[in-house]
Amino acid sequence: MALRVPTAILFSFAILPLAFYLGRDRQSTSCRCFPGEPCWPSPEQWDNLNASLSGNLIATAPIGSVCHTNTSFAPYSSQRCAELLSHWSIPATHYQDPSSPMAAWWANFSCSPFSAGCTLGPLAHYVANVTCAQDIQEVLRFTTKHNIRLSIRNTGHDYLGKSTAPGSIALWTHNLKSIEYKPNYTASWYAGPALRVGAGVQGREAQDAAHRSGNGHVIVSAHSPDVGFAGGYTQGGGHGPLASRYGLAADQVLEWEVVTAKGEILTASPAQNADLYWALAGGGGGAFAVVLGVTVRMHAEERTASASLVFPFDAADARAWEVIRTFLLAALPLADAGGTALWVLYPGPTAVTFIGGPFVLPGAGAEDLQSYLAPTLELLREYEMGYDFSINTYPTYHASVATAAVNVTEFHVGGALVPRSTIHSNPNGFISTLQEILRHKAAISSYSMNVSRPINSPVSANAVSPAWRNAAVSLLLGIPFNYTNRQVNVENQRLMTDVLLPQVSALVGPGEQGAYLNEADFNQPNWQSLFYGENYNRLLKIKQKYDPKQIFYGRTAVGSERWVEHGNGRLCPV
């Protein structure tokens, strides 16, 4: 079980409150039991756990083992290895497996088709295929009794490695696929249609169910259809094509159904266990409780305009940057009108490609969306720059949504929330920063949006970072992962942490710094303030209340500064 965690991981203690020092019991002051140690359960004890789970305890076998000889996992098969290689970069390859990380960094060269050998490395030692709340309770009893590390995994769509834990038991919630339409949900702040989805439901599944319900509805879900809906996505805030119109995914939550660290099954809403509701809605996944399901409000289907724009350009061409500047400024009123714009700057061998789309404007037609994009298109024509543009009006939002999976596996990532004030008052400085990032051959993927004024207010108070309410762009940087050279990957992670992200931060005033905690650099030194903002102290107190023994741990999750991962992945208190 050898995980070599980069020594560059830093922790900031600048804002630790008194709660950090409270409640340390025997378990939280000792290292988690690790495979091979005397404390590790016997085979008979593992068999007993398996029996209590109706045979749903899985001994982890890396999917890449079919490409290796002399392993204790799956036998070598050249045919199966070739098949695996053909779809290794597709998210479904990993989310259909109980343990394979979707982000390549977290497999850490342990057992992929490209690695020299095959070990469990950073993967969970066992996986519990969760079918009900009782399964979670059984695993919690077992891990608490034996002081074993616990991890929570649905799809493994996770840039920060929260769902990957060496020497752990993983709660695999992927098969909790229940969906229930509630046409007349009533709460103190909301009355109307709602959708309850189990923890394993993915974004496209939830969106399809909403579309089929009643006369047709929509929910706020991610651009990528593969993302697990109730887990880190919604718990971390959750943006998507409908975010400017209705708010973040966390803003939609009516109630959570959870299992706490003590094994209690609770409903958390603004009326019951309100503090836990507040923390789960934006305070990050894997920190407070195991989510069984979430109930969210739905919105009526309506016609939707969607467009795409692609053009290649020379990075040294000032005209192209004037086009991009025009687009960025035009995206501000588009977001104010309830629209969103996904755009990518992708550096190639000879040119950079601007890949825009979908640009989405709900409740509108193509002519409305075209009016926001017209200045950009006019400038492209004036400069005689070649481009591909398409725009359509769809009868429903559901009809406008692409079904293709989005590849998220093969990049080192880091992110930042860029406030509206920066784009509005210093667009040239922002453009200069983008140019400098591209010089390092990093891709730039961004969402332009405005989640400060969603319609269908009010929104119940939640733990979403205040930086979101001022953000105009959620910026995500990506450096390609190298499958054969680990040192190159380490250097690229340092480039992200030490060079690229500080350039973005330099543009933003000290009171407006922020990052989307689902799409961020796991090495971020000041992650408490950057990911959670002024909410962090309150979140720590809620963590202490519901998880006093620190059962739940995830990198950069609330309370994780109390722990450190050693070179082999063993988790110990600081």
Side-chain angles (χ1 to χ4, degrees), residues 72-397:
S72 58
F73 309 115
Y76 171 77
S77 167
S78 60
Q79 180 179 349
R80 292 178 63 193
C81 181
E83 292 173 355
L84 183 64
L85 279 166
S86 70
H87 54 77
W88 181 260
S89 65
I90 298 173
T93 300
H94 305 280
Y95 73 65
Q96 292 173 351
D97 184 83
S99 61
S100 184
M102 197 177 294
W105 173 267
W106 298 109
N108 197 33
F109 290 82
S110 57
C111 188
S112 78
F114 315 95
S115 59
C118 181
T119 65
L120 283 182
L123 305 184
H125 206 83
Y126 287 96
V127 176
N129 182 11
V130 174
T131 61
C132 60
Q134 184 179 348
D135 290 344
I136 296 172
Q137 292 170 321
E138 291 291 343
V139 172
L140 285 169
R141 277 193 285 267
F142 190 86
T143 55
T144 301
K145 177 181 179 180
H146 295 285
N147 192 24
I148 294 174
R149 184 174 176 179
L150 183 75
S151 55
I152 305 170
R153 171 193 170 88
N154 174 16
T155 64
H157 184 128
D158 174 16
Y159 291 123
L160 283 83
K162 292 180 180 179
S163 62
T164 307
S168 72
I169 302 177
L171 290 169
W172 190 34
T173 63
H174 187 60
N175 292 309
L176 295 177
K177 295 284 191 180
S178 62
I179 299 177
E180 180 184 359
Y181 170 48
K182 300 183 176 184
N184 298 303
Y185 187 97
T186 302
S188 60
W189 64 283
Y190 176 78
L195 193 71
R196 193 270 184 194
V197 299
V201 174
Q202 292 165 271
R204 184 66 185 187
E205 295 169 327
Q207 199 66 256
D208 288 346
H211 178 71
R212 292 191 301 265
S213 64
N215 294 320
H217 296 91
V218 298
I219 58 171
V220 175
S221 61
H223 169 65
S224 171
D226 298 311
V227 173
F229 183 76
Y233 168 69
T234 297
Q235 292 173 59
H239 67 46
L242 295 175
S244 293
R245 188 152 177 82
Y246 301 121
L248 296 169
D251 296 330
Q252 317 303 311
V253 176
L254 299 168
E255 65 180 53
W256 304 91
E257 184 183 353
V258 306
V259 179
T260 70
K262 296 178 181 179
E264 299 173 304
I265 301 174
L266 296 181
T267 295
S269 72
Q272 305 177 69
N273 304 299
D275 54 352
L276 183 57
Y277 166 89
W278 179 87
L280 288 168
F288 305 99
V290 183
V291 170
L292 287 168
V294 64
T295 302
V296 297
R297 59 181 179 174
M298 298 196 293
H299 310 275
E301 271 280 22
E302 53 190 350
R303 70 172 183 153
T304 299
S306 181
S308 65
L309 172 66
V310 178
F311 61 89
F313 65 95
D314 188 322
D317 188 344
R319 300 175 308 160
W321 289 108
E322 182 61 26
V323 171
I324 294 171
R325 182 183 185 277
T326 300
F327 165 76
L328 288 171
L329 293 174
L332 295 176
L334 171 62
D336 293 346
T340 56
L342 174 64
W343 51 277
V344 175
L345 298 176
Y346 196 84
T350 59
V352 177
T353 303
F354 177 95
I355 307 169
F359 307 144
V360 177
L361 187 57
E367 66 281 2
D368 303 298
L369 180 55
Q370 179 97 21
S371 67
Y372 294 103
L373 302 175
T376 303
L377 299 172
E378 289 170 4
L379 204 54
L380 283 166
R381 288 192 292 268
E382 178 183 336
Y383 290 152
E384 298 182 341
M385 296 177 62
Y387 66 90
D388 292 319
F389 176 70
S390 65
I391 188 167
N392 289 287
T393 302
Y394 296 89
T396 63
Y397 170 74

